Amino acid sequence: NVTGVQTCALPISYRCGSVPYFDGSVANVISHAGFKVLNEGSANAEIGTAAANVTWQIAARAGNVQVWNQATVTKVYDGPGPVVLVPTDLAQPIRFSEKGLYRGNYKFSNLGNTLRVVNYVSYDDYVRGVVPFEMPREWHLEAYKAQAYAARTFAYSKYAGGTRDFDVNDDQSDQCYGGIGAETAITDQAAAATQGKVIAYNGAPIRAYFASSSGGYTVGDGCWGNNIRAVNGTYECGPSQPYLQPAADPAD
């Protein structure tokens, strides 16, 4: 079971499927229930509260993060940030108009006068936005459940702690993640059926790699990329994780 760590953090700038790429300097945000705006750079002091269905704007300008209340066209903050948005009601998520609708919190910071955006979301909600993008439509529920276990475990095993402010990317370099816009009824069912659970080996979560095709036989991770080593003028595979040993995959 997942214990201790409650959220998965990931930058939401990349493109997967139909989700647009974001590299802008302005974001418009809105929620049916409103949200709080906090200054993470100042002990999460409250900057303001957005009312329900009122658009606020976050901008990267002159090295700072600016926050504007669009209802009154008032600038309510202009400083280094980062700025964090927290939904007033978790059941009413915040829409990031230039990117999509995502559960959880957002963090906005200025990176070279471009907005850098990180989404903080529970592992189970993260899985809901991953599985539909990583498997074809109309597969069996049990297949989606297997993918849900793998997706949750992969993210959990990449928890970065205090070394950086995100755990996984939202594209193919880790796992495609589309937020609420990716969710479907059957993949939500798979996420709920596997809720809070990860794949473990000897009591520790594994790195749950997956691929679209094995060619009929898998290869141990000791034979991947930089794990291959030169020995006496020839190249050999390094040691593989015990849970990533070669195996026949005749159904591929």
Side-chain angles (χ1 to χ4, degrees):
N1 284 355
V2 175
T3 57
V5 182
Q6 299 300 314
T7 59
C8 178
L10 63 161
I12 50 173
S13 57
Y14 299 101
R15 184 194 308 276
C16 266
S18 60
V19 178
Y21 180 87
F22 178 78
D23 61 353
S25 61
V26 175
N28 292 282
V29 287
I30 188 170
S31 169
H32 291 314
F35 52 87
K36 289 188 178 296
V37 184
L38 310 177
N39 182 2
E40 186 180 90
S42 184
N44 288 322
E46 187 172 327
I47 293 170
T49 300
N53 298 314
V54 172
T55 298
W56 280 39
Q57 189 175 87
I58 317 296
R61 295 192 179 107
N64 282 340
V65 179
Q66 295 181 355
V67 180
W68 292 78
N69 181 340
Q70 293 293 77
T72 58
V73 195
T74 303
K75 183 167 64 176
V76 297
Y77 176 78
D78 189 346
V83 166
V84 174
L85 275 54
V86 181
T88 302
D89 179 356
L90 292 178
Q92 298 291 337
I94 303 168
R95 177 173 294 280
F96 175 6
S97 297
E98 289 75 14
K99 180 68 174 173
L101 185 62
Y102 295 84
R103 303 182 190 279
N105 301 345
Y106 298 86
K107 181 171 77 172
F108 293 89
S109 54
N110 188 317
L111 180 64
N113 289 327
T114 297
L115 280 178
R116 180 178 182 275
V117 192
V118 177
N119 180 210
Y120 292 84
V121 65
S122 75
Y123 283 99
D124 292 317
D125 284 341
Y126 169 73
V127 167
R128 295 171 70 182
V130 169
V131 175
F133 271 10
E134 292 290 359
M135 288 191 73
R137 294 183 180 275
E138 300 179 357
W139 280 31
H140 195 283
L141 174 62
E142 293 302 315
Y144 289 128
K145 286 167 63 178
Q147 187 67 42
Y149 280 122
R152 188 182 295 104
T153 306
F154 183 87
Y156 188 72
S157 70
K158 291 201 69 177
Y159 174 63
T163 60
R164 62 186 184 191
D165 64 350
F166 73 95
D167 304 311
V168 292
N169 290 300
D170 70 344
D171 68 353
Q172 294 93 336
S173 63
D174 283 318
Q175 300 183 118
C176 281
Y177 167 70
I180 292 174
E183 295 172 6
T184 70
I186 191 169
T187 53
D188 277 359
Q189 186 180 349
T194 62
Q195 183 176 4
K197 295 179 180 178
V198 299
I199 308 165
Y201 179 82
N202 283 346
I206 69 170
R207 183 62 58 87
Y209 296 106
F210 57 90
S212 60
S213 175
S214 69
Y217 214 102
T218 66
V219 177
D221 62 322
C223 297
W224 301 354
N226 293 332
N227 294 332
I228 299 173
R229 55 195 182 183
V231 178
N232 297 325
T234 62
Y235 289 96
E236 296 181 358
C237 297
S240 295
Q241 295 288 343
Y243 55 81
L244 289 174
Q245 297 295 314
D249 185 18
D252 183 62

